[in-house]
PDB file of all heavy atoms in Angstrom:
ATOM      1  N   TYR A 115     128.161  84.442  70.018  1.00 93.00           N
ATOM      2  CA  TYR A 115     126.919  84.138  70.732  1.00 93.00           C
ATOM      3  C   TYR A 115     125.815  85.165  70.542  1.00 93.00           C
ATOM      4  O   TYR A 115     124.692  84.948  70.931  1.00 93.00           O
ATOM      5  CB  TYR A 115     127.203  83.970  72.232  1.00 93.00           C
ATOM      6  CG  TYR A 115     127.844  85.164  72.893  1.00 93.00           C
ATOM      7  CD1 TYR A 115     127.089  86.273  73.253  1.00 93.00           C
ATOM      8  CD2 TYR A 115     129.211  85.193  73.149  1.00 93.00           C
ATOM      9  CE1 TYR A 115     127.668  87.365  73.857  1.00 93.00           C
ATOM     10  CE2 TYR A 115     129.800  86.288  73.749  1.00 93.00           C
ATOM     11  CZ  TYR A 115     129.024  87.376  74.099  1.00 93.00           C
ATOM     12  OH  TYR A 115     129.611  88.459  74.686  1.00 93.00           O
ATOM     13  N   ARG A 116     126.159  86.319  69.950  1.00 90.00           N
ATOM     14  CA  ARG A 116     125.112  87.338  69.790  1.00 90.00           C
ATOM     15  C   ARG A 116     124.070  86.868  68.786  1.00 90.00           C
ATOM     16  O   ARG A 116     124.372  86.040  67.935  1.00 90.00           O
ATOM     17  CB  ARG A 116     125.733  88.657  69.345  1.00 90.00           C
ATOM     18  CG  ARG A 116     126.382  89.362  70.524  1.00 90.00           C
ATOM     19  CD  ARG A 116     127.042  90.648  70.129  1.00 90.00           C
ATOM     20  NE  ARG A 116     127.635  91.289  71.309  1.00 90.00           N
ATOM     21  CZ  ARG A 116     128.614  92.173  71.258  1.00 90.00           C
ATOM     22  NH1 ARG A 116     129.116  92.544  70.096  1.00 90.00           N
ATOM     23  NH2 ARG A 116     129.088  92.706  72.361  1.00 90.00           N
ATOM     24  N   GLY A 118     121.464  86.479  65.665  1.00 81.00           N
ATOM     25  CA  GLY A 118     121.730  86.600  64.239  1.00 81.00           C
ATOM     26  C   GLY A 118     122.227  85.271  63.735  1.00 81.00           C
ATOM     27  O   GLY A 118     122.742  84.470  64.506  1.00 81.00           O
ATOM     28  N   ARG A 135     125.050  80.528  79.862  1.00 93.00           N
ATOM     29  CA  ARG A 135     125.411  80.601  78.446  1.00 93.00           C
ATOM     30  C   ARG A 135     124.690  79.526  77.640  1.00 93.00           C
ATOM     31  O   ARG A 135     124.295  79.738  76.494  1.00 93.00           O
ATOM     32  CB  ARG A 135     126.920  80.418  78.288  1.00 93.00           C
ATOM     33  CG  ARG A 135     127.740  81.598  78.787  1.00 93.00           C
ATOM     34  CD  ARG A 135     129.218  81.269  78.757  1.00 93.00           C
ATOM     35  NE  ARG A 135     130.029  82.474  78.954  1.00 93.00           N
ATOM     36  CZ  ARG A 135     131.359  82.465  78.943  1.00 93.00           C
ATOM     37  NH1 ARG A 135     132.019  81.334  78.741  1.00 93.00           N
ATOM     38  NH2 ARG A 135     132.037  83.593  79.114  1.00 93.00           N
ATOM     39  N   VAL A 138     121.538  80.183  75.710  1.00 92.00           N
ATOM     40  CA  VAL A 138     121.544  81.022  74.517  1.00 92.00           C
ATOM     41  C   VAL A 138     122.155  80.298  73.318  1.00 92.00           C
ATOM     42  O   VAL A 138     121.727  80.470  72.183  1.00 92.00           O
ATOM     43  CB  VAL A 138     122.310  82.337  74.802  1.00 92.00           C
ATOM     44  CG1 VAL A 138     122.303  83.245  73.595  1.00 92.00           C
ATOM     45  CG2 VAL A 138     121.701  83.038  76.007  1.00 92.00           C
ATOM     46  N   ARG A 173     146.273  94.365  92.941  1.00 95.00           N
ATOM     47  CA  ARG A 173     145.440  94.772  91.791  1.00 95.00           C
ATOM     48  C   ARG A 173     145.542  93.676  90.733  1.00 95.00           C
ATOM     49  O   ARG A 173     146.628  93.391  90.236  1.00 95.00           O
ATOM     50  CB  ARG A 173     145.944  96.083  91.189  1.00 95.00           C
ATOM     51  CG  ARG A 173     145.665  97.288  92.033  1.00 95.00           C
ATOM     52  CD  ARG A 173     145.897  98.538  91.206  1.00 95.00           C
ATOM     53  NE  ARG A 173     144.652  99.006  90.602  1.00 95.00           N
ATOM     54  CZ  ARG A 173     144.605  99.787  89.538  1.00 95.00           C
ATOM     55  NH1 ARG A 173     145.685 100.151  88.921  1.00 95.00           N
ATOM     56  NH2 ARG A 173     143.440 100.199  89.067  1.00 95.00           N
ATOM     57  N   GLY A 179     135.017  89.542  79.983  1.00 89.00           N
ATOM     58  CA  GLY A 179     134.050  88.538  79.562  1.00 89.00           C
ATOM     59  C   GLY A 179     134.518  87.103  79.713  1.00 89.00           C
ATOM     60  O   GLY A 179     133.845  86.189  79.281  1.00 89.00           O
ATOM     61  N   ARG A 195     138.879  97.016  92.904  1.00 91.00           N
ATOM     62  CA  ARG A 195     138.132  96.480  91.773  1.00 91.00           C
ATOM     63  C   ARG A 195     139.073  95.938  90.691  1.00 91.00           C
ATOM     64  O   ARG A 195     139.975  96.658  90.252  1.00 91.00           O
ATOM     65  CB  ARG A 195     137.305  97.625  91.180  1.00 91.00           C
ATOM     66  CG  ARG A 195     136.050  97.222  90.483  1.00 91.00           C
ATOM     67  CD  ARG A 195     135.494  98.443  89.795  1.00 91.00           C
ATOM     68  NE  ARG A 195     134.508  99.145  90.602  1.00 91.00           N
ATOM     69  CZ  ARG A 195     133.184  98.957  90.465  1.00 91.00           C
ATOM     70  NH1 ARG A 195     132.733  98.114  89.587  1.00 91.00           N
ATOM     71  NH2 ARG A 195     132.352  99.644  91.194  1.00 91.00           N
ATOM     72  N   PRO A 196     138.896  94.691  90.270  1.00 95.00           N
ATOM     73  CA  PRO A 196     139.789  94.155  89.235  1.00 95.00           C
ATOM     74  C   PRO A 196     139.555  94.854  87.888  1.00 95.00           C
ATOM     75  O   PRO A 196     138.507  95.457  87.676  1.00 95.00           O
ATOM     76  CB  PRO A 196     139.401  92.684  89.154  1.00 95.00           C
ATOM     77  CG  PRO A 196     138.047  92.590  89.751  1.00 95.00           C
ATOM     78  CD  PRO A 196     137.931  93.703  90.741  1.00 95.00           C
ATOM     79  N   ALA A 198     139.294  94.823  83.647  1.00 95.00           N
ATOM     80  CA  ALA A 198     138.835  93.910  82.594  1.00 95.00           C
ATOM     81  C   ALA A 198     139.270  94.467  81.249  1.00 95.00           C
ATOM     82  O   ALA A 198     138.818  95.532  80.854  1.00 95.00           O
ATOM     83  CB  ALA A 198     137.317  93.775  82.647  1.00 95.00           C
ATOM     84  N   TYR A 199     140.150  93.755  80.565  1.00 94.00           N
ATOM     85  CA  TYR A 199     140.723  94.267  79.321  1.00 94.00           C
ATOM     86  C   TYR A 199     140.052  93.650  78.099  1.00 94.00           C
ATOM     87  O   TYR A 199     139.626  92.499  78.138  1.00 94.00           O
ATOM     88  CB  TYR A 199     142.228  93.988  79.286  1.00 94.00           C
ATOM     89  CG  TYR A 199     142.957  94.723  80.383  1.00 94.00           C
ATOM     90  CD1 TYR A 199     143.172  94.134  81.615  1.00 94.00           C
ATOM     91  CD2 TYR A 199     143.369  96.031  80.192  1.00 94.00           C
ATOM     92  CE1 TYR A 199     143.812  94.815  82.633  1.00 94.00           C
ATOM     93  CE2 TYR A 199     144.000  96.733  81.208  1.00 94.00           C
ATOM     94  CZ  TYR A 199     144.226  96.122  82.427  1.00 94.00           C
ATOM     95  OH  TYR A 199     144.846  96.807  83.425  1.00 94.00           O
ATOM     96  N   ARG A 200     140.019  94.463  77.019  1.00 89.00           N
ATOM     97  CA  ARG A 200     139.393  93.990  75.783  1.00 89.00           C
ATOM     98  C   ARG A 200     140.117  92.791  75.193  1.00 89.00           C
ATOM     99  O   ARG A 200     139.535  91.989  74.496  1.00 89.00           O
ATOM    100  CB  ARG A 200     139.379  95.111  74.727  1.00 89.00           C
ATOM    101  CG  ARG A 200     138.470  96.244  75.047  1.00 89.00           C
ATOM    102  CD  ARG A 200     137.023  95.782  74.959  1.00 89.00           C
ATOM    103  NE  ARG A 200     136.158  96.642  75.725  1.00 89.00           N
ATOM    104  CZ  ARG A 200     135.615  97.751  75.250  1.00 89.00           C
ATOM    105  NH1 ARG A 200     135.852  98.119  74.026  1.00 89.00           N
ATOM    106  NH2 ARG A 200     134.840  98.474  76.011  1.00 89.00           N
ATOM    107  N   ASN A 211     153.582  97.101  82.458  1.00 89.00           N
ATOM    108  CA  ASN A 211     153.700  98.487  82.897  1.00 89.00           C
ATOM    109  C   ASN A 211     153.645  98.627  84.413  1.00 89.00           C
ATOM    110  O   ASN A 211     153.837  99.721  84.929  1.00 89.00           O
ATOM    111  CB  ASN A 211     152.561  99.338  82.322  1.00 89.00           C
ATOM    112  CG  ASN A 211     152.737  99.583  80.844  1.00 89.00           C
ATOM    113  OD1 ASN A 211     153.768  99.239  80.271  1.00 89.00           O
ATOM    114  ND2 ASN A 211     151.739 100.175  80.219  1.00 89.00           N
TER     115      ASN A 211
ATOM    116  N   ARG B  52     114.161  86.419  69.145  1.00 85.00           N
ATOM    117  CA  ARG B  52     115.544  86.319  69.612  1.00 85.00           C
ATOM    118  C   ARG B  52     116.054  87.676  70.068  1.00 85.00           C
ATOM    119  O   ARG B  52     116.754  87.787  71.074  1.00 85.00           O
ATOM    120  CB  ARG B  52     116.430  85.791  68.489  1.00 85.00           C
ATOM    121  CG  ARG B  52     116.384  84.284  68.399  1.00 85.00           C
ATOM    122  CD  ARG B  52     116.913  83.808  67.097  1.00 85.00           C
ATOM    123  NE  ARG B  52     118.367  83.838  67.055  1.00 85.00           N
ATOM    124  CZ  ARG B  52     119.058  83.540  65.955  1.00 85.00           C
ATOM    125  NH1 ARG B  52     118.433  83.222  64.850  1.00 85.00           N
ATOM    126  NH2 ARG B  52     120.359  83.573  65.978  1.00 85.00           N
ATOM    127  N   TYR B  56     117.226  88.645  73.799  1.00 91.00           N
ATOM    128  CA  TYR B  56     118.612  89.069  74.004  1.00 91.00           C
ATOM    129  C   TYR B  56     118.705  90.428  74.690  1.00 91.00           C
ATOM    130  O   TYR B  56     119.560  90.639  75.535  1.00 91.00           O
ATOM    131  CB  TYR B  56     119.359  89.114  72.671  1.00 91.00           C
ATOM    132  CG  TYR B  56     120.862  89.085  72.856  1.00 91.00           C
ATOM    133  CD1 TYR B  56     121.521  87.904  73.097  1.00 91.00           C
ATOM    134  CD2 TYR B  56     121.615  90.260  72.831  1.00 91.00           C
ATOM    135  CE1 TYR B  56     122.874  87.858  73.307  1.00 91.00           C
ATOM    136  CE2 TYR B  56     122.984  90.235  73.033  1.00 91.00           C
ATOM    137  CZ  TYR B  56     123.608  89.027  73.267  1.00 91.00           C
ATOM    138  OH  TYR B  56     124.950  88.998  73.477  1.00 91.00           O
ATOM    139  N   ASP B  72     126.382 101.109  90.070  1.00 95.00           N
ATOM    140  CA  ASP B  72     127.575 101.293  90.890  1.00 95.00           C
ATOM    141  C   ASP B  72     128.792 101.556  90.000  1.00 95.00           C
ATOM    142  O   ASP B  72     129.601 102.449  90.271  1.00 95.00           O
ATOM    143  CB  ASP B  72     127.795 100.036  91.740  1.00 95.00           C
ATOM    144  CG  ASP B  72     128.922 100.214  92.735  1.00 95.00           C
ATOM    145  OD1 ASP B  72     128.942 101.272  93.383  1.00 95.00           O
ATOM    146  OD2 ASP B  72     129.782  99.327  92.833  1.00 95.00           O
ATOM    147  N   VAL B 134     147.886 103.862  78.038  1.00 88.00           N
ATOM    148  CA  VAL B 134     148.846 102.767  77.958  1.00 88.00           C
ATOM    149  C   VAL B 134     150.270 103.316  77.932  1.00 88.00           C
ATOM    150  O   VAL B 134     151.180 102.757  78.538  1.00 88.00           O
ATOM    151  CB  VAL B 134     148.578 101.890  76.706  1.00 88.00           C
ATOM    152  CG1 VAL B 134     149.632 100.817  76.563  1.00 88.00           C
ATOM    153  CG2 VAL B 134     147.194 101.251  76.790  1.00 88.00           C
ATOM    154  N   GLN B 140     157.248 104.521  82.895  1.00 81.00           N
ATOM    155  CA  GLN B 140     157.766 104.148  84.221  1.00 81.00           C
ATOM    156  C   GLN B 140     158.561 105.278  84.868  1.00 81.00           C
ATOM    157  O   GLN B 140     159.606 105.042  85.475  1.00 81.00           O
ATOM    158  CB  GLN B 140     158.647 102.906  84.113  1.00 81.00           C
ATOM    159  CG  GLN B 140     158.031 101.815  83.274  1.00 81.00           C
ATOM    160  CD  GLN B 140     157.831 100.531  84.030  1.00 81.00           C
ATOM    161  OE1 GLN B 140     158.604 100.188  84.888  1.00 81.00           O
ATOM    162  NE2 GLN B 140     156.770  99.830  83.716  1.00 81.00           N
ATOM    163  N   GLU B 148     144.697 104.332  85.593  1.00 91.00           N
ATOM    164  CA  GLU B 148     144.000 104.419  84.300  1.00 91.00           C
ATOM    165  C   GLU B 148     142.978 105.550  84.318  1.00 91.00           C
ATOM    166  O   GLU B 148     142.823 106.274  83.337  1.00 91.00           O
ATOM    167  CB  GLU B 148     143.267 103.112  83.992  1.00 91.00           C
ATOM    168  CG  GLU B 148     144.151 101.902  83.861  1.00 91.00           C
ATOM    169  CD  GLU B 148     144.536 101.307  85.207  1.00 91.00           C
ATOM    170  OE1 GLU B 148     143.995 101.763  86.236  1.00 91.00           O
ATOM    171  OE2 GLU B 148     145.392 100.411  85.215  1.00 91.00           O
ATOM    172  N   SER B 225     136.632 102.527  79.010  1.00 94.00           N
ATOM    173  CA  SER B 225     136.586 101.066  79.093  1.00 94.00           C
ATOM    174  C   SER B 225     137.759 100.404  78.373  1.00 94.00           C
ATOM    175  O   SER B 225     138.170  99.316  78.762  1.00 94.00           O
ATOM    176  CB  SER B 225     135.275 100.558  78.507  1.00 94.00           C
ATOM    177  OG  SER B 225     135.162 100.964  77.169  1.00 94.00           O
ATOM    178  N   LEU B 227     140.735 100.967  78.611  1.00 93.00           N
ATOM    179  CA  LEU B 227     141.888 100.810  79.490  1.00 93.00           C
ATOM    180  C   LEU B 227     141.666  99.725  80.545  1.00 93.00           C
ATOM    181  O   LEU B 227     142.534  99.481  81.377  1.00 93.00           O
ATOM    182  CB  LEU B 227     142.211 102.137  80.189  1.00 93.00           C
ATOM    183  CG  LEU B 227     142.619 103.277  79.260  1.00 93.00           C
ATOM    184  CD1 LEU B 227     142.916 104.528  80.061  1.00 93.00           C
ATOM    185  CD2 LEU B 227     143.822 102.880  78.430  1.00 93.00           C
ATOM    186  N   GLY B 228     140.513  99.090  80.511  1.00 92.00           N
ATOM    187  CA  GLY B 228     140.278  97.994  81.435  1.00 92.00           C
ATOM    188  C   GLY B 228     139.529  98.390  82.692  1.00 92.00           C
ATOM    189  O   GLY B 228     139.178  97.537  83.496  1.00 92.00           O
ATOM    190  N   VAL B 230     136.672  98.942  85.006  1.00 94.00           N
ATOM    191  CA  VAL B 230     135.325  98.379  84.960  1.00 94.00           C
ATOM    192  C   VAL B 230     134.321  99.478  85.298  1.00 94.00           C
ATOM    193  O   VAL B 230     133.815  99.576  86.401  1.00 94.00           O
ATOM    194  CB  VAL B 230     135.191  97.169  85.894  1.00 94.00           C
ATOM    195  CG1 VAL B 230     133.803  96.560  85.771  1.00 94.00           C
ATOM    196  CG2 VAL B 230     136.231  96.127  85.526  1.00 94.00           C
ATOM    197  N   GLU B 240     127.343  90.650  79.961  1.00 93.00           N
ATOM    198  CA  GLU B 240     126.861  90.064  78.707  1.00 93.00           C
ATOM    199  C   GLU B 240     127.574  88.745  78.440  1.00 93.00           C
ATOM    200  O   GLU B 240     126.961  87.741  78.105  1.00 93.00           O
ATOM    201  CB  GLU B 240     127.110  91.022  77.527  1.00 93.00           C
ATOM    202  CG  GLU B 240     126.579  90.467  76.212  1.00 93.00           C
ATOM    203  CD  GLU B 240     127.213  91.080  74.974  1.00 93.00           C
ATOM    204  OE1 GLU B 240     128.315  91.656  75.078  1.00 93.00           O
ATOM    205  OE2 GLU B 240     126.605  90.962  73.896  1.00 93.00           O
ATOM    206  N   ALA B 241     128.906  88.757  78.604  1.00 92.00           N
ATOM    207  CA  ALA B 241     129.676  87.554  78.292  1.00 92.00           C
ATOM    208  C   ALA B 241     129.417  86.442  79.299  1.00 92.00           C
ATOM    209  O   ALA B 241     129.575  85.270  78.984  1.00 92.00           O
ATOM    210  CB  ALA B 241     131.162  87.886  78.255  1.00 92.00           C
ATOM    211  N   PHE B 244     125.634  85.605  78.135  1.00 92.00           N
ATOM    212  CA  PHE B 244     125.307  85.705  76.714  1.00 92.00           C
ATOM    213  C   PHE B 244     123.973  86.426  76.541  1.00 92.00           C
ATOM    214  O   PHE B 244     123.101  85.983  75.805  1.00 92.00           O
ATOM    215  CB  PHE B 244     125.255  84.324  76.049  1.00 92.00           C
ATOM    216  CG  PHE B 244     126.614  83.698  75.847  1.00 92.00           C
ATOM    217  CD1 PHE B 244     127.766  84.340  76.246  1.00 92.00           C
ATOM    218  CD2 PHE B 244     126.734  82.465  75.220  1.00 92.00           C
ATOM    219  CE1 PHE B 244     129.015  83.761  76.060  1.00 92.00           C
ATOM    220  CE2 PHE B 244     127.984  81.870  75.024  1.00 92.00           C
ATOM    221  CZ  PHE B 244     129.124  82.530  75.446  1.00 92.00           C
TER     222      PHE B 244
END
Side-chain angles (χ1 to χ4, degrees):
Chain A
Y115 58 79
R116 282 178 179 158
R135 289 173 168 181
V138 182
R173 288 194 94 202
R195 207 189 266 264
Y199 296 91
R200 291 291 158 87
N211 288 353
Chain B
R52 277 164 78 185
Y56 199 80
D72 187 46
V134 176
Q140 314 240 326
E148 298 81 7
S225 59
L227 297 180
V230 183
E240 182 201 20
F244 287 0

